Amino acid sequence: MTPERPPLALYVHVPWCVRKCPYCDFNSHQRDTLPETQYLDALLADLDADQRWLEGELDRPVVSIFIGGGTPSLMSADFYRRLLDGLRQRLPMANDVEITLEANPGTVEAGRFEGFREAGINRLSIGVQSFDPGQLTALGRIHGPEEARRAVALARAAGFDNFNLDLMHALPGQTPAQALEDLQAAIELSPAHLSWYELTIEPNTAFYRAPPTQPDEDSMADIEEQGFALLQRHGYERYEVSAFARPGRHCRHNLNYWRFGDYLAIGAGAHGKLTRRDGQRLRYQKTRQPEAYLQAPEQARRSVTAIEDPLFEALMNALRLVNGVPSCTLSQYCGVDQERIAALLAPLRERDLLQPDPDQIVCTALGLRHLNTVLALIGESLSAS
């Protein structure tokens, strides 16, 4: 089967921040002064080079744009006005395109929210992480709890009715009661969307070199169970492993990732995925170091690789969704017959890890709790087939 081309999104990476957090493994770099004009020119030159490389493949409208980092809210509103104008000149956009900007609750960035809204950004993702002053210090954050609350108030005043709060649990020395207090504080701000996830210790981070003490697995499971119930009582639907939304406020950009959609990528270290008309699926990564990227953005593709096993990659993402994906969608986007998919997944249905409906690929509650096990079993089945 030739795969159907899925929806197309765009990821833009801004690699600079005020301070590198000890848990962060993203491509972020401390810098006092930001080269706004030079980076804007580099981003657009990067996209122009992609358009030449892809030779007319970019004929689908962009359904969402996500600007991540680093701390993208360090850039000015004028930077984003000029960037979005340049993107619209180069790419077809859906009429209701979702444009998300990651923001730090620090006072300087929060004061720019009105300008961001006027520039065309229509969704914010605010990195709160915790409302506990001690935890914020331990996490290396540069804001306090009141600055986070003020950022939310400023976002609303600027016209943002669609925003996400990022919040972590399993923090250093955190008790279950403290984790739930944090979650309650976030809920009281009534965001449209909440990302509530466990702190994980990643390689090449300060926490990896000197790991903090975290709650044990039983405590983490108890925190999650109580937190899920609390979120549900307040009208937040859990639609992905760690994503919760009010009705109609799911993050369309992230849903596109989880449904094995395509996404262009510009910026230092950005990753992209594309399905070509001939059915070839590619992943690519841009030059990681910001200074090297600035010097030669038109040569920023550091690596391009073909996706050899699209079915496994698609399942890794799709099974994170609480409602999964239709089998026919996975078949279309991966170019794999539904019969093969059904045969591959039959043993997991027999073990009550996947729900029995062959037309919908979705974990049971047991499977969602043990998602890594589910994916390992799928990997073993694919290797054997």
Side-chain angles (χ1 to χ4, degrees):
M1 291 178 60
T2 299
E4 180 180 313
R5 293 196 300 164
L8 181 66
L10 170 66
Y11 176 73
V12 181
H13 192 74
V14 178
W16 295 292
C17 57
V18 175
R19 181 194 300 165
K20 183 80 170 179
C21 296
Y23 58 85
C24 178
D25 69 336
F26 297 139
N27 186 35
S28 59
H29 305 263
Q30 293 181 203
R31 181 164 176 163
D32 294 331
T33 58
L34 302 181
E36 283 204 357
T37 299
Q38 189 182 1
Y39 198 62
L40 173 68
D41 292 344
L43 288 171
L44 296 177
D46 185 1
L47 181 56
D48 288 340
D50 276 352
Q51 290 181 306
R52 291 190 294 271
W53 168 51
L54 293 167
E55 297 178 354
E57 295 279 355
L58 307 183
D59 56 343
R60 290 164 285 169
V62 171
V63 298
S64 65
I65 300 171
F66 195 99
I67 306 165
T71 306
S73 55
L74 289 172
M75 295 296 204
S76 69
D78 186 61
F79 172 88
Y80 288 112
R81 179 188 59 77
R82 291 185 292 153
L83 173 64
L84 293 174
D85 284 349
L87 295 177
R88 290 190 181 96
Q89 291 168 11
R90 291 162 171 81
L91 296 169
M93 300 277 179
N95 292 332
D96 62 344
V97 60
E98 174 192 89
I99 306 175
T100 301
L101 177 78
E102 285 188 337
N104 187 296
T107 301
V108 174
E109 296 87 1
R112 298 174 175 172
F113 286 170
E114 186 172 338
F116 294 153
R117 190 75 180 88
E118 291 173 353
I121 292 159
N122 53 32
R123 184 176 183 273
L124 292 176
S125 182
I126 303 174
V128 173
Q129 311 312 353
S130 176
F131 290 91
D132 182 281
Q135 291 291 357
L136 289 170
T137 299
L139 294 171
R141 305 298 288 172
I142 62 170
H143 70 272
E146 291 311 311
E147 286 176 300
R149 293 184 175 94
R150 181 174 179 271
V152 169
L154 287 169
R156 280 207 171 87
F160 286 100
D161 62 347
N162 188 12
F163 64 89
N164 167 65
L165 296 184
D166 258 2
L167 195 72
M168 293 194 290
H169 65 89
L171 301 179
Q174 188 180 53
T175 67
Q178 290 170 334
L180 294 170
E181 285 172 10
D182 254 359
L183 184 57
Q184 181 64 49
I187 290 171
E188 288 173 0
L189 295 175
S190 194
H193 189 285
L194 260 166
S195 297
W196 187 55
Y197 51 93
E198 174 189 321
L199 168 65
T200 56
I201 308 302
E202 302 289 351
N204 302 315
T205 64
F207 274 176
Y208 186 79
R209 294 186 292 272
T213 301
Q214 294 180 270
D216 59 37
E217 289 188 11
D218 288 341
S219 294
M220 289 186 192
D222 187 48
I223 290 167
E224 288 191 344
E225 183 177 350
Q226 293 183 58
F228 295 160
L230 179 63
L231 285 158
Q232 186 176 28
R233 287 198 300 272
H234 286 273
Y236 290 93
E237 176 196 10
R238 186 190 185 202
Y239 70 98
E240 190 265 346
V241 168
S242 57
F244 307 79
R246 300 280 195 192
R249 295 300 197 179
H250 302 68
C251 178
R252 281 186 272 155
H253 188 84
N254 285 343
L255 279 172
N256 189 53
Y257 286 150
W258 295 321
R259 291 170 175 165
F260 206 52
D262 284 349
Y263 47 98
L264 303 173
I266 57 174
H271 292 249
K273 167 189 171 285
L274 191 79
T275 306
R276 301 183 70 118
R277 286 194 187 91
D278 62 5
Q280 185 183 30
R281 287 168 296 259
L282 303 173
R283 288 201 185 278
Y284 60 93
Q285 178 183 351
K286 301 300 176 66
T287 304
R288 184 176 175 85
Q289 288 299 322
E291 298 308 317
Y293 179 86
L294 284 168
Q295 289 172 14
E298 69 281 355
Q299 300 173 16
R301 285 185 304 281
R302 189 171 82 180
S303 61
V304 179
T305 57
I307 299 175
E308 300 296 340
D309 200 340
L311 181 56
F312 181 66
E313 288 203 22
L315 286 167
M316 281 182 65
N317 290 299
L319 290 175
R320 293 180 61 89
L321 293 170
V322 172
N323 293 324
V325 294
S327 178
C328 61
T329 299
L330 203 69
S331 172
Q332 290 165 357
Y333 289 174
C334 295
V336 178
D337 290 335
Q338 289 191 66
E339 291 77 11
R340 185 193 169 202
I341 297 173
L344 173 72
L345 300 180
L348 284 86
R349 292 193 167 99
E350 292 170 2
R351 296 175 60 168
D352 193 35
L353 295 170
L354 296 183
Q355 292 187 14
D357 182 0
D359 295 327
Q360 187 74 11
I361 302 171
V362 55
C363 283
T364 60
L366 177 65
L368 205 57
R369 282 199 305 272
H370 300 283
L371 185 56
N372 288 339
T373 299
V374 171
L375 295 175
L377 291 170
I378 290 173
E380 290 172 6
S381 297
L382 283 168
S383 297
S385 63

